[in-house]
């Protein structure tokens, strides 16, 4: 009869997940209680489904938030290699749009994407050697190391593991790659810098060993001077390397003493004038003449020597260097000694000036091919000026020269 057909149809609707189905048996008293029970069941099923869907959506949004909060590129694939999730960083690196990839086959997408093709290939063939990925992103060259993680789910009843899919992580190793390159460059450059003076000193020493006493004494003195200059060059290089290594240690200490600025400058000017391979004119202006300060003798001398050396090296044909030393009074810092070293060399472009104190950085010299160095001098200078509690700045204009200004406390802090 009709009530039974309606009840049967209602049960079929519920079986097909239509939890909105309701029965009206108001005209059939004997079926009213059954209809009320059916409707109550359907209402509870509706509430349960709504609650479950809300929980699932909430969990989905939470997982999406976690994935998007990861700053490294991450991609999730199911067993069929369909993309389940991908964060913003991965979309940027792969140059893809989210709406074009979700639930799409990674193999299919990789046909038009070289980077994704490599990731899929390495996922399928885990034995392949996984070299870092070189990617141009965010207007710079970056390096990433790919990691592949298989997601397994264990059945609680059978203890059997099921493969649910894979996650691909891309770790940004650009900083480590740059450090490795810097290390290689450092070793190569230092090896070259050490080899040159050693070879020159060895040749001069060999000439001295074979020197005939009847020969001109001036020639002998020339060989001795060459040996001395090259040993000084070696000593300065080693001292800078050791100083930069030591300044990172807790045991590093300056040994301040009262120094006459004029007494420090005089031998430095003589050394740089004699060893220079180009004509050099160095003028000095010290005010007052007996200007003194408290500083570490060795490191203060190296600071000034490096700045003079740079001024000479970056002067194309003839080096004109001016050194101006004076005492100034700063409202908050008290009495300072300011040393300005100026040249008329090639100058430094504005965009390069913020990098000149970086380790291993060398200013491009254009046609000035014979400038030697290893990108440590100005880094050392800034480091040691900082250790003295001072400051260093530069003013420069391409083609018109540069002026480096060092300011140190006249009296060392107690």
């Amino acid at each position: 009869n009709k009530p039974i057909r309606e009840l049967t149809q209602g049960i079929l609707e519920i079986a097909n997940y239509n939890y909105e189905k309701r029965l009206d048996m108001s005209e059939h008293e004997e079926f009213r209680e059954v209809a009320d029970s059916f409707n109550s069941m359907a209402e509870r099923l509706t509430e349960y489904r709504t609650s479950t869907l809300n929980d699932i959506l909430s969990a989905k949004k939470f997982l999406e938030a976690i994935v998007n909060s990861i700053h490294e590129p991450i991609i999730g694939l199911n067993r069929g290699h369909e993309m389940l999730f991908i964060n913003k960083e991965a979309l940027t690196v792969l140059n893809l749009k989210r709406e074009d990839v979700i639930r799409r086959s990674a193999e299919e997408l990789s046909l038009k994407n070289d980077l994704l093709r490599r990731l899929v290939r390495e996922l399928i063939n885990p034995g392949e050697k996984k070299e870092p990925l070189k990617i141009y992103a965010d207007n710079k060259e970056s390096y990433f190391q790919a990691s592949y993680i298989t997601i397994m789910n264990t059945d609680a009843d059978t203890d059997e593991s099921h493969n649910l899919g894979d996650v691909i992580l891309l770790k940004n190793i650009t900083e480590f790659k740059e450090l490795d390159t810097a290390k290689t460059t450092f070793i190569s450059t230092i090896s070259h810098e050490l080899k040159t003076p050693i070879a020159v000193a060895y040749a001069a020493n060999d000439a001295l060993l074979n020197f005939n006493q009847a020969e001109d004494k001036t020639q002998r003195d020339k060989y001795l001077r060459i040996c001395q200059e090259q040993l000084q060059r070696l000593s300065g290089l080693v001292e800078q390397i050791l100083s930069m290594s030591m300044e990172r240690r807790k045991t590093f200490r300056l040994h301040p003493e009262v120094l006459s600025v004029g007494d420090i400058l005089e031998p430095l000017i003589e050394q740089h004038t004699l060893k220079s391979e180009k004509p050099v004119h160095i003028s000095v202006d010290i005010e007052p003449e007996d200007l003194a300060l408290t500083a570490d003798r060795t490191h203060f001398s190296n600071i000034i020597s490096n700045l003079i050396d740079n001024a000479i090296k970056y002067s194309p044909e003839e080096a004109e260097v001016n050194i101006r030393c004076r005492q100034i009074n700063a409202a908050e810092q008290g009495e300072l000694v300011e040393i300005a070293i100026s040249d008329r060399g090639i100058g430094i472009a504005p965009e390069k000036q913020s990098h000149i104190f970086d380790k291993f950085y060398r200013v491009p010299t254009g046609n000035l091919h014979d400038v030697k160095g290893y990108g440590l001098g100005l880094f050392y200078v800034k480091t040691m000026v900082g250790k003295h509690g001072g400051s260093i700045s530069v003013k420069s204009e391409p083609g018109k020269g540069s002026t480096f200004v060092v300011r140190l406390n006249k009296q060392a802090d107690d």
Side-chain angles (χ1 to χ4, degrees), residues 81-178:
H81 294 161
E82 291 179 337
M83 283 205 185
L84 298 179
F85 60 81
I86 181 170
N87 67 353
K88 296 175 184 177
E89 282 71 16
L91 289 170
T92 300
V93 167
L94 292 168
N95 194 26
L96 295 171
K97 294 181 179 179
R98 189 182 303 278
E99 59 269 22
D100 296 335
V101 300
I102 297 301
R103 305 304 303 186
R104 291 278 304 279
S105 167
E107 282 99 336
E108 180 185 337
L109 292 169
S110 70
L111 295 176
K112 297 181 179 180
N113 191 301
D114 293 339
L115 177 56
L116 183 59
R117 187 183 308 123
R118 174 175 169 179
L119 293 174
V120 172
R121 185 176 68 246
E122 290 183 352
L123 174 65
I124 297 173
N125 303 300
E128 288 191 8
K129 189 176 181 181
K130 301 177 180 65
E131 294 291 337
L133 302 166
K134 185 178 179 181
I135 301 170
Y136 191 81
D138 296 329
N139 297 319
K140 66 177 182 179
E141 200 175 74
S142 300
Y143 291 85
F144 292 85
Q145 185 69 56
S147 298
Y148 303 89
I149 304 169
T150 300
I151 306 301
M152 305 296 293
N153 182 41
T154 303
D155 192 317
D157 296 328
T158 63
D159 286 336
E160 292 183 1
S161 295
H162 303 283
N163 184 343
L164 299 180
D166 299 276
V167 171
I168 302 175
L169 291 170
L170 296 178
K171 176 69 177 177
N172 193 329
I173 60 169
T174 305
E175 179 182 356
F176 304 103
K177 187 73 174 177
E178 289 173 347

Side-chain angles (χ1 to χ4, degrees), residues 284-317:
V284 181
D285 179 17
I286 303 177
E287 184 182 344
E289 290 184 3
D290 59 350
L291 181 62
L293 80 164
T294 306
D296 183 292
R297 178 181 293 273
T298 299
H299 293 299
F300 178 70
S301 295
N302 285 340
I303 288 169
I304 304 303
S305 180
N306 269 285
L307 293 176
I308 296 174
D309 189 51
N310 265 12
I312 295 173
K313 284 196 301 186
Y314 288 94
S315 295
E317 298 174 357

